[in-house]
Amino acid sequence: MKRIALLDILRGFAIIGTLGTNIWIFAYLGDLNLVFGNALEPWWSSGDRLVQTIMLILVNGKFLGMLTLLFGAGMELKRQKAAREGYAWPGVYIWSCALLLLDGLLHYIFVMEYDVLMSYAITGIIVSLIIHRSKRFMLTMMVIAGSIHVIGVTGITALLAFESGSSFNGMDAITHLYASGTWWEQAMFRLNNFGFFRAESIAIIPLNVFLFLLGALLMRTGVFSNDESGRRKRRKLMITGLAAGIPLNLLLLVPGGVMDIWVRYISAPVLTLGYLGIIAYGLEKGLFPKLFQRFGEIGKMALSCYIVQNIIASALFYGWGLGLGGRPSSLFILLMWLGICLLLMLFSHLWLRKYPLGPVEWLWRRLSISPSPRPGSTSQDTTL
């Protein structure tokens, strides 16, 4: 089966967009109080804060939602391949999730404390036991997971509203470590504080389940297909996502950061659907073909680029590297983000000219166990 170009391009945008949020965490040396809910410096207090707020309105949670949704779409393709080639589901997919869990653990310890791969691995196991069931059952699980998520996030938001001026504790110790500690000291710190830093990965599992299943259903209903029906469905998603998502994400402007968590985990995934439609529309109209090609190349080696971009950001901002972190200007942070994006485009372009897979994807393929199809079945590569 041929690769779906739109999926690669969307995945490339998702990788770059996710860095658009994470770059602030790297630049501020892990101080979440400077990234989210900065009550001491509201968005109108300076041009610097205004630029940061606009950037976060555009990217915070939106592209993570897209990456999550695409993971579910990819899982549906793998399920379809299993059915087509006649081997059991989830079967070997559980081994793939175990590899992702190990990859996420190593990435968490040695690179970044807010890595999402471990959460994806756990979610993948859960959803793999649901995805082969009926559409009605999948929708029921989506309602349950979505309800748990909305109730939980709304409850946290209400608590924040009653505790005006609340902040994340312990940030000074973290920023000091990232400013002056060695790479090994930082890795051991993440390992010793595993429970604290992994709390978010556990908390977002209901949202991940919802988005995985949504991505699978979108794939199943032909939203990503290159025909008129698929284009029509994507335009509906674009209109709905933008109409609902833009006002919901403007809640980020509420003073004191009260709505920051609500926007990141509820408003953002709504706007994700609008972004999906916009990117697909641009591809259909042939806008910026070379740029879309570069994003598609990043998408083809998404896992490699995700790891590389976080390593580069760590080396730029942390004390064991160039030590550029602390309180740099928003313009400087955006320039660093743009520079990393260009490096990823160059890296993926040059690599794919010589090799068919990214380095991590190649290793993944070598470690994966290929199931044996039943006699008489056909085998098609759907590596994503």
Side-chain angles (χ1 to χ4, degrees), residues 241-253:
L242 293 177
I246 290 175
L248 284 173
N249 279 274
L250 290 177
L251 291 173
L252 195 69
L253 300 177

Side-chain angles (χ1 to χ4, degrees), residues 33-44:
N33 290 319
L34 297 179
V35 182
F36 309 114
N38 191 349
L40 298 178
E41 296 181 30
W43 59 267
W44 63 83

Side-chain angles (χ1 to χ4, degrees), residues 168-308:
F168 295 98
N169 297 320
M171 293 295 107
D172 289 343
I174 294 174
T175 57
H176 177 73
L177 175 67
Y178 285 152
S180 58
T182 65
W183 171 78
W184 183 251
E185 287 173 337
Q186 293 171 14
M188 291 302 99
F189 174 77
R190 287 189 284 266
L191 185 59
N192 293 332
N193 292 274
F194 186 88
F196 173 77
F197 286 123
R198 294 289 76 190
E200 182 198 28
S201 293
I202 296 172
I204 63 173
I205 286 177
L207 173 62
N208 288 349
V209 169
F210 179 89
L211 290 175
F212 270 44
L213 290 172
L214 176 60
L217 287 175
L218 292 179
M219 176 61 69
R220 192 175 295 183
T221 54
V223 168
F224 299 103
S225 62
N226 192 31
D227 54 22
E228 184 55 36
S229 175
R231 288 189 284 271
R232 187 166 56 249
K233 291 173 182 176
R234 289 194 292 271
R235 291 191 190 104
K236 289 181 179 179
L237 280 181
M238 177 176 66
I239 294 170
T240 303
L242 293 177
I246 290 175
L248 284 173
N249 279 274
L250 290 177
L251 291 173
L252 195 69
L253 300 177
V254 173
V258 173
M259 298 300 295
D260 283 17
I261 291 179
W262 207 90
V263 168
R264 176 173 169 80
Y265 295 112
I266 294 181
S267 302
V270 178
L271 191 53
T272 290
L273 300 177
Y275 282 8
L276 188 156
I278 290 175
I279 295 167
Y281 184 77
L283 178 63
E284 294 163 16
K285 295 301 181 181
L287 302 177
F288 312 110
K290 292 295 184 181
L291 182 62
F292 273 74
Q293 185 179 353
R294 298 291 86 78
F295 277 107
E297 289 167 344
I298 291 175
K300 288 178 181 178
M301 42 191 291
L303 189 54
S304 296
C305 288
Y306 172 72
I307 294 172
V308 167

Side-chain angles (χ1 to χ4, degrees), residues 51-63:
V51 170
Q52 179 192 8
T53 302
I54 292 173
M55 181 65 176
L56 291 177
I57 287 176
L58 292 174
V59 303
N60 185 22
K62 289 76 176 174
F63 291 98

